Amino acid sequence: MSNAYDVIIIGSGPGGYVTAIRSAQLGLKTAIVEREHLGGICLNWGCIPTKALLRSAEIMDHANHAKSFGLTLNGTMTADVKDVVARSRGVSARLNGGVAFLMKKNKVDVIWGEAKLTKANEIVVGKMTKPVVEPQNPIPKGVLGEGTYTAKHIIVATGARPRALPGIEPDGKLIWTYFEAMKPDFMPKSIVVMGSGAIGIEFASFYRSMGVDVTVVELMPNIMPVEDVEISTFARKQLEKRGLKIITEAKVSKVDKGANSITAHVETKDGKVSQITADRLISAVGVQGNIENLGLEALGVKTDRGCIVIDGYGKTSVPGLYAIGDVAGPPMLAHKAEHEGVICVEKIAGLPNVHPMDKAKIPGCTYCNPQVASVGMTEAKAKAEGREIRVGRYNFNANGKAIALGEDQGMIKTIFDKKTGELIGAHMVGAEVTELIQGFVVAMNLETTEEELMHTIFPHPTLSEMMKESVLDAYGRVLNA
Ligand SMILES: Cc1cc2nc3c(=O)[nH]c(=O)nc-3n(C[C@H](O)[C@H](O)[C@H](O)COP(=O)(O)OP(=O)(O)OC[C@H]3O[C@@H](n4cnc5c(N)ncnc54)[C@H](O)[C@@H]3O)c2cc1C
């Protein structure tokens, strides 16, 4: 078999494997190199297994409120941590196997091992690295491995890994990253979560539902700092009602380790330091791109703050070399990685009218309880840009479906450009908003105006009706409030 390809992709996360499929669909001879696990972080240690854990948490939350639905649970609902984790790992393993199937179906060669660039169009593949925690599925026999491979185009899709703060480095025992938090072998009684981005808040929400005493420490004034302040304030109140403790404008400055516990020194902005002792600390202070040991420096590939610099089509500073996904910078989200990869390979194939990545239209979702979802500008950002805006709001407590579901706490906020009527931002908190947001993503992509949204018929009774009411509210025409 020839070692020469049209396209080689390094890394088989959602960015890499989706790009490989699209590349093969476009008739390009394609290979993907993977050193650990098909599906990358997303399928094995990120998006998917966390959602499986959060589903267990959701069922637990519902069970705890069974009485209010006229239902009595005989006996108490308890979580068996081993089984909760086993289900989550099983979900990952199933999808991981699915990627192997997709590679085969699309005739994408899988090259197992760690890739290093020797030229812009050549890689050397070494041995597999030791899996971070454990492999998902056995590596299929008879696939390609160590050797030298060439391609007309090489796409780096090597993803990211947890960032560590100096002095508070994760040790896998007392200080966890998402790897350990994803598969605890016991249920801690108490946890400190350092960082309240999507990853930190999802774990905080999961562990709280499992009855753990959770304290979140966040440096910024608001949790989920990228979200609209009104939404994150709303979410914070709901999380606190569920018993989560949240300390903002504070940092964990030091961690003392005991035999089986940690003591976090929490410093607030006024310089006061308090101590919180807990069973474990989850470090969720962001991720950093996997740019090391790839041969990027020798080739003169431009990087910035730990990520590869690219244009709107994934091109790096070196001709023939591309980057997509987490390694190519924020927002570090699976759907961004996938879309970036598809754009990149369609441009390589010479397709006409390939649109460059528009980061303003990438939705973001956090699957805590209550869920948070958004797309486009926050109110603060729109104002900072000097835009004249109209803002609409609608609360879940006036929506029939939300009340029937017993999920009447939430809010939908829409932001329009006052002059043009263009929808420039949508922000949500409450049940199922991670599913609802896509309606506004489509609308924004089609450059929809308020008029078109107001003339759209939404089914009744649904949570989605609140999307229309929020739009109507922005124009003083709200109906059910
Ligand atoms: C706990 C958690 C929850 C998350 N939840 C969500 C969510 O709900 N929604 C969402 O959109 N995003 C979520 N994310 C983020 C999401 O996982 C990433 O954005 C996504 O995985 C990025 O995809 P990628 O293809 O760029 O890289 P990755 O998924 O990181 O894949 C990169 C792959 O490259 C391989 N690799 C690296 N270097 C080499 C090399 N030299 N040779 C060969 N192979 C190599 C790695 O082994 C890995 O398999 C979550 C992340 C975490 C950690």
Side-chain angles (χ1 to χ4, degrees):
M1 190 182 291
S2 161
N3 280 4
Y5 291 88
D6 294 319
V7 173
I8 288 180
I9 300 147
I10 308 175
S12 75
Y17 91 77
V18 167
T19 309
I21 295 173
R22 186 71 188 119
S23 174
Q25 281 176 349
L26 292 164
L28 301 166
K29 190 181 175 215
T30 307
I32 196 158
V33 194
E34 176 54 55
R35 66 180 181 187
E36 256 170 52
H37 40 208
L38 290 175
I41 290 297
C42 174
L43 262 64
N44 298 285
W45 299 105
C47 326
I48 300 296
T50 46
K51 267 77 257 179
L53 293 179
L54 285 159
R55 179 69 170 156
S56 294
E58 193 182 352
I59 291 170
M60 183 65 107
D61 291 339
H62 286 321
N64 286 334
H65 293 107
K67 199 98 185 92
S68 61
F69 291 87
L71 306 169
T72 306
L73 195 68
N74 288 320
T76 39
M77 177 81 123
T78 48
D80 184 331
V81 67
K82 205 167 111 280
D83 293 342
V84 169
V85 170
R87 177 175 179 277
S88 166
R89 300 321 300 156
V91 170
S92 277
R94 178 170 160 186
L95 287 166
N96 170 272
V99 176
F101 165 80
L102 287 172
M103 295 300 95
K104 204 167 167 200
K105 180 182 162 208
N106 287 282
K107 301 191 172 48
V108 173
D109 285 344
V110 177
I111 304 170
W112 286 103
E114 176 140 14
K116 185 168 178 168
L117 289 152
T118 35
K119 296 180 195 148
N121 69 341
E122 185 185 87
I123 55 166
V124 168
V125 177
K127 287 194 181 4
M128 301 269 298
T129 47
K130 194 169 163 287
V132 180
V133 181
E134 97 253 17
Q136 290 295 305
N137 283 317
I139 291 161
K141 289 201 176 81
V143 293
L144 302 171
E146 290 169 62
T148 301
Y149 300 84
T150 60
K152 291 180 198 136
H153 308 275
I154 296 181
I155 303 174
V156 180
T158 50
R161 62 182 184 280
R163 203 160 75 82
L165 292 185
I168 314 177
E169 287 87 1
D171 59 7
K173 187 176 177 277
L174 296 169
I175 303 181
W176 288 351
T177 64
Y178 51 78
F179 290 113
E180 294 80 24
M182 195 86 71
K183 54 187 298 279
D185 47 17
F186 74 108
M187 193 54 78
K189 286 203 168 42
S190 53
I191 273 189
V192 172
V193 179
M194 185 169 70
S196 76
I199 294 175
I201 284 292
E202 285 187 3
F203 279 117
S205 186
F206 165 74
Y207 279 105
R208 184 63 208 131
S209 298
M210 294 292 142
V212 178
D213 181 352
V214 180
T215 306
V216 177
V217 182
E218 168 58 52
L219 194 61
M220 304 298 281
N222 300 293
I223 59 165
M224 295 180 270
V226 297
E227 299 297 343
D228 188 278
V229 172
E230 216 175 333
I231 297 294
S232 88
T233 306
F234 196 110
R236 176 180 184 156
K237 280 196 189 124
Q238 296 303 314
L239 290 164
E240 284 174 338
K241 267 195 205 162
R242 292 184 48 220
L244 254 139
K245 292 171 205 146
I246 297 172
I247 309 171
T248 44
E249 294 187 277
K251 64 176 181 192
V252 176
S253 51
K254 190 179 155 204
V255 175
D256 296 328
K257 292 185 191 175
N260 200 20
S261 66
I262 56 97
T263 298
H265 297 238
V266 178
E267 189 180 329
T268 43
K269 73 168 182 182
D270 53 14
K272 285 194 186 126
V273 179
S274 58
Q275 294 182 5
I276 305 171
T277 298
D279 290 343
R280 295 291 180 269
L281 181 131
I282 299 177
S283 173
V285 291
V287 296
Q288 63 187 86
N290 291 325
I291 57 168
E292 299 82 4
N293 307 319
L294 277 169
L296 298 177
E297 308 79 11
L299 291 174
V301 179
K302 215 167 147 191
T303 59
D304 180 32
R305 277 164 285 174
C307 293
I308 299 175
V309 177
I310 57 166
D311 70 3
Y313 299 101
K315 280 189 194 164
T316 70
S317 53
V318 172
L321 195 63
Y322 310 77
I324 59 145
D326 282 6
V327 75
M332 294 191 177
L333 294 167
H335 41 281
K336 175 260 193 184
E338 290 176 19
H339 194 66
E340 211 159 43
V342 169
I343 289 173
C344 176
V345 84
E346 287 185 349
K347 192 76 177 168
I348 287 173
L351 256 55
N353 306 321
V354 181
H355 297 287
M357 176 59 105
D358 180 358
K359 288 196 175 178
K361 297 196 177 89
I362 302 173
C365 297
T366 307
Y367 300 75
C368 47
N369 176 9
Q371 296 181 359
V372 171
S374 62
V375 60
M377 278 187 212
T378 61
E379 186 176 348
K381 173 109 193 291
K383 283 183 176 158
E385 286 194 4
R387 294 180 76 142
E388 276 192 73
I389 53 172
R390 273 181 176 273
V391 179
R393 295 175 183 83
Y394 196 78
N395 283 332
F396 274 47
N397 62 13
N399 173 266
K401 179 75 182 289
I403 295 168
L405 289 177
E407 301 281 3
D408 67 347
Q409 293 303 305
M411 175 186 171
I412 294 186
K413 176 171 174 178
T414 42
I415 302 171
F416 292 88
D417 183 297
K418 204 170 187 174
K419 284 198 198 105
T420 62
E422 186 187 351
L423 176 67
I424 56 171
H427 307 272
M428 307 179 171
V429 52
E432 300 306 335
V433 297
T434 56
E435 294 293 338
L436 294 182
I437 194 69
Q438 191 56 17
F440 281 140
V441 180
V442 173
M444 278 180 68
N445 220 29
L446 298 175
E447 295 175 3
T448 306
T449 63
E450 87 289 6
E451 274 298 319
E452 288 154 337
L453 282 166
M454 287 193 274
H455 282 106
T456 303
I457 301 169
F458 287 71
H460 174 77
T462 59
L463 298 174
S464 69
E465 287 173 285
M466 292 185 282
M467 295 164 69
K468 181 164 173 174
E469 292 281 17
S470 171
V471 176
L472 290 168
D473 183 57
Y475 288 85
R477 288 175 48 181
V478 70
L479 295 168
N480 292 287

